[in-house]
Amino acid sequence: MTNSASVKQLLAATTPMDPVTLQGWVRTRRESKEFSFIELNDGSCLANIQIIIDANRPGYDLVKNIHTGASLRIIGALAESPGKGQQWEIQAHRLELLGAAPEDFPLQKKRHTDEFLRTIAHLRPRTNKYGAMARIRSGLSWAIHRFFNERGFHWIHTPIITGSDCEGAGEMFKVTTLDLANIPVKNGKVDYEQDFFGKEANLTVSGQLSVETYCMSLGKVYTFGPTFRSENSNTSRHMAEFWMIEPEMAFADLDDDMQLGEDMVKYLVRYALEECSEDLDLFARFVDKNLMATLENIISHEFIRLPYTEAIRVLQQSGQSFEYKPQWGHDLQSEHERFLTEQHFKQPVIVYDYPRDIKAFYMRMNDDQKTVAAMDILVPAIGEIIGGSQREERHDMLKQRINDLGFDETDYWWYLDTRKYGSVPHAGFGLGFERLLMLITGVSNIRDVIPFPRTPKHLEF
Ligand code: 4AD
Ligand code: MG
């Protein structure tokens, strides 16, 4: 590989340099009588670097055939730019065309809609916006690991293929090597004994149950990986494949859980403001004019903490006409969540102590026997960004709950074992990584914060 400098390094230079080698993709080319100007981007940062090629350089004819999208290697001098708007430019000595791009390259100068760009998801990272998104996504992934590392959490790699349904909601993709045109049947049912694992297998909907087992030995742990849900909801906040961050803490209760969730969201917003400012600025200018105010508001206030029962009362007394009437015992709809966080409190809200019957089996029963120690963190424009709970650590209570819900206790033998041997109070949550990215960039459709979105009836690329 040629020892070349990145555009980011060159733009941060403090002295002129000659020669330098750089490589990247052409964003635009302009011609005058005596020169050509090329704006080159290499993905190292949002900004392009300007390249000037003198018409009397050997091989100048080649330059005329360089169009937007082509890839180049340039050897030249980094020099102070006499032009306005940039400190440095490259005065080219030599230019190599690595890959031409014909004039039908779809990303010409005009601004394209997000809908159109979704149809060319393989090329959209070549635009400013999607390049910026990819760098922010990468930066925040790193920040998540840094957050946990600073607090003594260990990263556990939980499995992608599982034999259990963590959320008990049955929204799972099957994993099989059976011949679908010739499925083996035994006693009127699919004979999974003949399948790869000798039993039913699925893609994981959450790493929680697995990570809990490591929580019971390492104390503070987290998973960060892809999760899969076959829920058929075509909304701007759901995908069939998304990434989730799931911390789990031993010797912790619901208050500790809420605090960790709040600290984490604030830490990540601060990180983005400080470390991704150039890219974030693009979103503040072109995507959401209120973005900076929203982010400042998140980091400068304590999140509101509101019991579910209170939340229902606030909604019922709001005088709003909701599509779904708020009613104790029913799950909060996204219209309810958004009313609470956007209109009523105008800041993030943590709703806790939800009715037992609308939450998962593993959540800890409260003394009222009606609610569980669950919490959801709601944020403006999105609604739920975090869902978590204190876990039921009492062996008999957990077993009872599994049976009451009609689950097969033997499927959970290993999970129940953790409550049999040295059980401790513990709590955790799941943060949807794409929803976090929506919050931080102001992007309103989840399909635009992940490189290749998977949604019902869409599996291109
Ligand atoms: O509330 P959920 O379903 O919680 C769990 O899976 C727990 N096992 C987590 C835990 O306690 N360890 O999902 C957690 C978060 C949601 O708040 C949301 O941000 C995100 O995951 N999420 C989705 N994001 C995109 N597309 C979907 N279909 C999502 N479903 C959940
Ligand atoms: Mg949830």
Side-chain angles (χ1 to χ4, degrees):
M1 204 175 121
T2 320
N3 190 6
S4 61
S6 70
V7 171
K8 186 176 176 176
Q9 288 169 329
L10 292 169
L11 291 176
T14 50
T15 54
M17 286 185 272
D18 188 9
V20 292
T21 303
L22 66 159
Q23 309 178 87
W25 294 269
V26 174
R27 282 296 172 81
T28 57
R29 185 174 67 81
R30 286 184 292 123
E31 228 172 323
S32 72
K33 258 211 200 109
E34 288 123 43
F35 322 95
S36 255
F37 293 104
I38 291 176
E39 291 282 329
L40 198 78
N41 188 283
D42 69 354
S44 58
C45 61
L46 182 68
N48 304 325
I49 197 161
Q50 175 168 282
I51 294 153
I52 298 182
I53 310 153
D54 238 322
N56 56 24
R57 289 267 155 205
Y60 188 72
D61 274 1
L62 182 77
V63 175
K64 292 209 155 99
N65 293 319
I66 291 175
H67 304 294
T68 301
S71 50
L72 306 179
R73 178 181 300 129
I74 288 150
I75 297 163
L78 179 77
E80 301 259 3
S81 172
K84 267 203 291 190
Q86 71 255 332
Q87 190 193 350
W88 297 108
E89 64 182 22
I90 301 285
Q91 291 160 1
H93 306 321
R94 194 149 65 80
L95 175 149
E96 275 173 62
L97 179 59
L98 299 177
E103 279 170 278
D104 65 354
F105 179 62
L107 299 170
Q108 300 296 335
K109 236 187 164 177
K110 83 183 216 323
R111 252 176 98 182
H112 298 284
T113 64
D114 293 325
E115 287 76 13
F116 169 71
L117 292 171
R118 257 172 245 148
T119 68
I120 51 164
H122 60 305
L123 293 174
R124 67 179 178 172
R126 300 249 201 120
T127 63
N128 282 340
K129 180 171 164 184
Y130 289 87
M133 177 60 78
R135 279 185 298 273
I136 293 174
R137 193 176 164 107
S138 165
L140 284 170
S141 304
W142 151 243
I144 284 160
H145 290 303
R146 199 177 80 169
F147 172 85
F148 285 124
N149 190 256
E150 285 170 4
R151 285 161 183 73
F153 283 69
H154 302 282
W155 183 18
I156 307 299
H157 301 137
T158 53
I160 303 290
I161 301 175
T162 69
S164 56
D165 176 5
C166 169
E167 292 302 293
E171 291 164 333
M172 294 179 299
F173 289 102
K174 286 195 167 39
V175 175
T176 181
T177 52
L178 291 178
D179 176 2
L180 296 185
N182 188 16
I183 297 172
V185 175
K186 195 170 158 189
N187 303 329
K189 287 187 179 158
V190 177
D191 183 11
Y192 284 109
E193 275 177 26
Q194 296 190 39
D195 204 348
F196 189 89
F197 295 105
K199 61 183 287 193
E200 255 188 275
N202 305 297
L203 292 179
T204 186
V205 295
S206 157
Q208 179 196 325
L209 302 193
S210 315
V211 92
E212 273 189 58
T213 66
Y214 273 73
C215 171
M216 296 294 200
S217 60
L218 274 71
K220 291 200 274 185
V221 295
Y222 69 104
T223 73
F224 182 4
T227 47
F228 309 87
R229 295 193 188 179
S230 63
E231 58 189 328
N232 198 1
S233 36
N234 240 319
T235 78
S236 57
R237 296 180 318 280
H238 290 90
M239 283 186 299
E241 179 178 301
F242 63 98
W243 287 63
M244 187 152 59
I245 299 105
E246 297 181 272
E248 196 70 34
M249 298 176 286
F251 318 107
D253 63 13
L254 190 66
D255 278 331
D256 301 319
D257 205 33
M258 293 194 261
Q259 195 58 51
L260 183 73
E262 176 170 347
D263 290 348
M264 183 170 178
V265 170
K266 286 179 169 166
Y267 182 98
L268 296 172
V269 169
R270 256 187 231 113
Y271 181 92
L273 287 168
E274 285 162 17
E275 306 291 334
C276 310
S277 57
E278 186 191 27
D279 287 319
L280 205 57
D281 185 53
L282 177 147
F283 291 92
R285 283 166 59 202
F286 300 114
V287 174
D288 176 3
K289 294 265 187 273
N290 291 321
L291 184 62
M292 288 303 160
T294 306
L295 297 181
E296 287 299 334
N297 186 40
I298 288 172
I299 55 177
S300 55
H301 295 97
E302 299 257 298
F303 292 5
I304 303 285
R305 296 188 186 192
L306 186 72
Y308 166 90
T309 304
E310 280 298 313
I312 293 293
R313 197 168 304 146
V314 170
L315 291 165
Q316 285 172 340
Q317 291 171 357
S318 68
Q320 295 281 309
S321 58
F322 294 112
E323 192 183 337
Y324 294 90
K325 250 188 161 175
Q327 224 180 323
W328 203 98
H330 291 230
D331 212 353
L332 295 184
Q333 299 294 320
S334 101
E335 56 175 341
H336 304 143
E337 295 176 343
R338 292 185 58 176
F339 172 80
L340 291 171
T341 167
E342 281 164 35
Q343 284 170 262
H344 192 80
F345 293 106
K346 298 187 168 55
Q347 54 175 300
V349 179
I350 313 182
V351 178
Y352 64 97
D353 288 348
Y354 280 81
R356 178 194 75 172
D357 293 337
I358 57 171
K359 288 292 185 188
F361 74 94
Y362 50 70
M363 298 187 177
R364 191 179 198 278
M365 183 80 77
N366 286 327
D367 291 343
D368 63 13
Q369 303 289 318
K370 287 193 307 202
T371 60
V372 286
M375 66 101 182
D376 279 2
I377 301 189
L378 316 178
V379 294
I382 294 158
E384 177 189 341
I385 191 170
I386 280 181
S389 65
Q390 185 173 339
R391 317 306 188 188
E392 184 55 82
E393 86 284 11
R394 296 161 293 191
H395 180 266
D396 293 350
M397 300 274 280
L398 183 62
K399 194 166 136 177
Q400 181 73 46
R401 189 82 186 115
I402 288 173
N403 284 311
D404 286 351
L405 285 166
F407 298 164
D408 188 350
E409 186 188 308
T410 58
D411 286 347
Y412 294 92
W413 68 273
W414 53 272
Y415 189 63
L416 282 164
D417 258 8
T418 59
R419 275 55 172 177
K420 196 166 148 196
Y421 306 116
S423 188
V424 296
H426 62 292
F429 63 77
L431 166 67
F433 189 43
E434 285 73 25
R435 294 202 186 165
L436 174 82
L437 284 164
M438 292 170 75
L439 176 73
I440 287 180
T441 59
V443 164
S444 59
N445 195 316
I446 198 163
R447 293 164 181 78
D448 299 332
V449 302
I450 191 165
F452 298 105
R454 270 82 178 92
T455 52
K457 303 278 181 281
H458 284 283
L459 187 64
E460 193 70 46
F461 312 105

